[in-house]
Structures are given as structure tokens and as C-alpha cells.
Amino acid sequence: GAPPLAPAPLEGWPPCVLTPSPHAKTWERLPRLRSDRSFAVLGESSLVVVPDEDQASITVSVDGDGAIYAASLDLALPIAVGGTGPLGAEFTDLVTAEAEAALGGEPTFGIRVEDFVVTPDEDGALSFDTAPGIPLRIIVFGGEERIAVEIDAPAAEYRDPDPFSVIRPGLERRNTLNRLDLFDSYGLSLEAGDVVTVEAESPGDLIVTVVSASGEQLVTFDDGGGEFGLDPTGTFTAEESDEYFVEVSTYDATAAYRIVVDVEPVSADSGGG
């Protein structure tokens, strides 16, 4: 989970890994799909959509200034990115730029970045191809204005089972990421000069990012630890006394992990003589 309106789904996009998803295991915990398929979105909402067995495309109608990010639960690849109004245009440009930078301008698995971009029609409808019967995750961004969203396939709102929480120095936290739960965010209170050590372990490939209270990414730990050198580990020093967020994400479709954050407080007599 994360604080509302956090732009984390864009960070490190896209993790182009063809890895089977555990959606069948997760599916049992999802709410019943809604037949009316209409949703009111304020800020950000994550939807699970299951196309009918004979449905080869999906249309998401957005009434207002908003954007969508759609990805299959079977493959760690995006399917569609687009939006309406200024927010939709800004979102699309940002995701496209980050994807181009991540891919180096080269096609991945024969797919180009521009293949993901969906242009709305005059009624604000965004249509894209999909695989019949395969569950999707569609993240809808509505900014600070409530928007109406309608999907022409069975859908349900997905609520993070482990929303934002606080991590205590020296205490281990364990959790699991998957295609529905893309990242976990932990709050951490620090004083200026505190030295923080982050150690995370997982069978998968994790990324740990430290974010300021204003949303600025301060430092990212990717590889370095563990048997195969894929576990993120490292240290940083807090420049200000404030609240910070430690965000855990993965390149894989699923990853169980453990994380420990140790804090060495700034010495009370560090300036003494």
C-alpha cells in the first residue's frame, strides 16, 4: 500500500519480465465482480477486470480528467496507457518517457512503447485489445476531482490487504508483492543526521526506494546483497528531521520478502570537544 495519490505505479516502469502470475491464488480473495461495471474515482483506484470468454477488447469510458494504466495479471507487461484531459495527457507523456528510458528505445519482445498508448475517442472512451478471460489490473487516476469510470467487462475494486504502515527500526517485516499489490510503503520517522541501513531479502528481484515526505525519491537500493547479489542493501543519511517512506517493489510478477531497517541515531554530543 501507499499514501493516497502516490505516483508509485510509474516508478521503474515497465518491469518487462515474462513470468507467470499467481493470480489464481490471489483471485480467491478478490471481491465479487460488479455487474454494473461503473465506478466513481477520486485520486487513485485499482480495478480487477476479467473479460468475458469471447471478449477480445476492453473499453474504459472516463467522464472527466483522468488516466488509466492497464496490465495483464498473467504477464508483467503493460497493455494500455492513456487518458483524457490535461491529467491524462501528462500521465501518458510521463509513462512513455520513462518507458523509453527503461527500454533504451528498443522493442521488447517485439513490442514498442507506442504500442501501449491509447488515444481516447470524442466521448472519452479508451479501447484496447486483450486476451479473453484473462484477468487485468487497471489503475485509474482521477487527480483531485472525482471522475466517473465505466468498463464494458466484469470488474471489481481491489483494496490493498496490507495498507500503509510504520516500520520500526530493528524489527523485521515480511510481506508479499504480486501483480495486484505492486509495492509496499512503510513510514519511518528520522532526525537529521540519522544513518539508516536497509537490508531486504527475497527469492525474487526487489527494489527498495527511500522517498521524502514530499514524494521525492532520495535513494534507490537495487542489487548488492544475497546469494545471487539481487537483494537490495545499503545505507543513507537523513538530511532533515521528517517523515520518510521506505517503498518495496519488484521486477518479478510475485515476490515474498523480508526487510529490516536499522537506524543509528545522530550522536547527541557529535559536535562536542
Side-chain angles (χ1 to χ4, degrees), residues 45-91:
S45 182
S46 185
L47 307 176
V48 176
V49 181
V50 184
D52 293 326
E53 292 298 332
D54 59 350
Q55 188 172 6
S57 66
I58 285 181
T59 298
V60 181
S61 299
V62 179
D63 183 9
D65 183 12
I68 67 165
Y69 176 100
S72 169
L73 294 189
D74 271 9
L75 301 176
L77 286 172
I79 292 177
V81 175
T84 58
L87 175 63
E90 180 181 358
F91 176 87

Side-chain angles (χ1 to χ4, degrees), residues 2-66:
L5 306 182
L10 304 181
E11 297 167 9
W13 189 97
C16 293
V17 181
L18 288 171
T19 306
S21 164
H23 76 264
K25 178 180 178 181
T26 307
W27 191 247
E28 300 174 0
R29 302 197 299 268
L30 295 179
R32 181 175 299 178
L33 299 178
R34 293 172 51 171
S35 58
D36 58 9
R37 309 171 187 183
S38 298
F39 301 87
V41 176
L42 177 64
E44 176 186 331
S45 182
S46 185
L47 307 176
V48 176
V49 181
V50 184
D52 293 326
E53 292 298 332
D54 59 350
Q55 188 172 6
S57 66
I58 285 181
T59 298
V60 181
S61 299
V62 179
D63 183 9
D65 183 12

